[in-house]
Amino acid sequence: DPFEDDPLRHSTLKVHTERPCNAESPVEVLDKFITPSEQFYVRNHLWAPKLDPESYRLTIELPDGEEVAYSLEELKKFPQVDVTATLQCSGNRRKHMTEGSRYANGLQWGIGAISNASFRGVRLRDILAHAGFDGTAEDNAEIKHVQFQGAEAYGASIPLEKALSQYGDVLLVHEMNGQPLPQDHGFPLRVLVPGHVAARSVKWLKRISLAEEESQSQWQQRDYKCFGPNQSGSDVDWAAAPAIQETPVQSAITSVKDLPKGERLLQVYGLEEDSIEVKGYAFAGGGRRIVRVDVSPDDGRSWTQAELLEDEAAGRKRWAWTQWKLVVPRRLAGANFVVKAVDEGYNTQPGGHEPYYNFRGNLTGAWHRVPYKNRD
Ligand code: MTE
Ligand code: MO
């Protein structure tokens, strides 16, 4: 039984499948800036390897085939870097694409295949330089990708440019929220590729290779790609679409609640009236900041701007989600609340799912609608 060493999981995780473990963060923690590690979503394609930190070795394969191996102790001697980053599965909100359009293949995730944590580790570029791979992406024109191999069979790759960038913050992490990485999140070492789809942040990292080609794994070559709304798995040229790396703008409503007397809205309208508090998250890939969150209390007829909550995020770019909040008078509420966010490139989200339907249900990002009453 390959799953016999899988860890116990927190009872509040919303489990989609147990073997392999695929579980969402519970909605109660999605409106906290830092997700507690035991409630961080889990996305495993296979089992969760139980690795011995003493005998653990990371192997780096250089372009000429030479291999350099590092123990955990050796890796921890490099400068330690903290990065606060959101990981989002490519399938986050796939359920909404299915509901808003047609069935999209894969786990029917709600809004919880996303979480945010502080990570500590060493810069990949430092380790590569130490292993003998120095210089810029331009200096190494024939090498285009950094491939990562996990201890089970999972593999993925990222462009060399991201790996070597001073501003890329690609880390080999051994701590999450101030503790050693939990087993489900890649103990003893995982890659953190902030701003990219979480599929590239390979857990239980065993091997790094510098190559001309992307990873040949199905997770690089097939699963995490998007096609047109009319295309299906039987008629696409897989090689024609690029593997997902940076991700588009995302936002979701995590709660809509009537405020109790005493916390109702006073200041804006001059009198106390029944009010509703709406909260949620917004996130953009590529290190792009969220600059605005628009919320509609009436299905998109009228809009108002949510307050973007303050936080402390480490990193050379904005790798973390932004939490937001809004209080609106109840008299403005229609059947549904709606949210959409805008990033610093003025990118925003599509109004509906149909034009963005893709048969794999990747990168669902249409406006998130939540009924005011009867919310599940
Ligand atoms: N790494 C390995 N070795 N095995 C995996 O199954 N899943 C990937 C990525 N890295 C995976 C992996 C996917 S698709 C996602 S969304 C993230 O890990 C999930 O990370 P998490 O479980 O820490 O939230
Ligand atoms: Mo994922």
Side-chain angles (χ1 to χ4, degrees), residues 145-342:
H145 303 277
V146 184
Q147 302 184 0
F148 305 117
Q149 190 63 54
E152 359 82 297
Y154 188 85
S157 63
I158 59 169
L160 179 66
E161 201 185 324
K162 169 73 174 171
L164 295 188
S165 166
Q166 301 247 27
Y167 304 98
D169 280 343
V170 178
L171 303 183
L172 306 182
V173 308
H174 55 87
E175 274 185 23
M176 180 172 171
N177 294 333
Q179 298 292 322
L181 272 180
Q183 187 185 344
D184 262 333
H185 301 291
F187 181 85
L189 198 76
R190 88 177 293 173
V191 191
L192 176 70
V193 187
H196 284 220
V197 74
R200 310 302 167 218
S201 291
V202 174
K203 307 191 274 190
W204 312 290
L205 181 65
K206 284 295 288 177
R207 172 176 284 266
I208 298 177
S209 315
L210 295 153
E212 219 168 309
E213 310 264 292
E214 288 188 297
S215 164
Q216 294 303 302
S217 78
Q218 74 174 92
W219 301 284
Q220 195 75 21
Q221 299 297 325
R222 292 206 165 204
D223 294 12
Y224 299 116
K225 295 188 171 189
C226 294
F227 293 90
N230 57 307
Q231 293 182 284
S232 71
S234 54
D235 67 10
V236 296
D237 170 11
W238 293 95
I244 301 166
Q245 295 283 357
E246 290 186 1
T247 55
V249 186
Q250 179 66 285
S251 65
I253 294 170
T254 55
S255 71
V256 175
K257 72 169 198 216
D258 292 301
L259 284 178
K261 245 187 162 50
E263 286 177 38
R264 294 168 180 178
L265 205 60
L266 286 173
Q267 57 283 53
V268 183
Y269 297 90
L271 70 164
E272 184 178 331
E273 57 178 318
D274 288 348
S275 309
I276 301 166
E277 182 192 71
V278 194
K279 285 175 152 184
Y281 64 74
F283 175 64
R288 290 177 287 276
R289 257 177 335 118
I290 292 296
V291 296
R292 205 181 76 224
V293 170
D294 300 327
V295 177
S296 171
D298 57 4
D299 252 321
R301 274 182 287 278
S302 68
W303 296 91
T304 177
Q305 280 65 54
E307 177 192 352
L308 306 185
L309 303 182
E310 301 258 321
D311 54 53
E312 274 177 39
R316 290 182 172 166
K317 288 189 183 175
R318 179 72 196 194
W319 309 119
W321 62 14
T322 294
Q323 300 287 331
W324 56 266
K325 178 179 125 171
L326 178 73
V327 177
V328 285
R330 175 137 73 181
R331 68 188 152 76
L332 298 182
N336 294 297
F337 277 81
V338 190
V339 66
K340 64 187 174 83
V342 179

Side-chain angles (χ1 to χ4, degrees), residues 41 43 45 88-91 198-199 224:
Y41 84 95
R43 190 352 177 180
H45 290 85
Q88 178 178 221
C89 183
S90 171
Y224 299 116

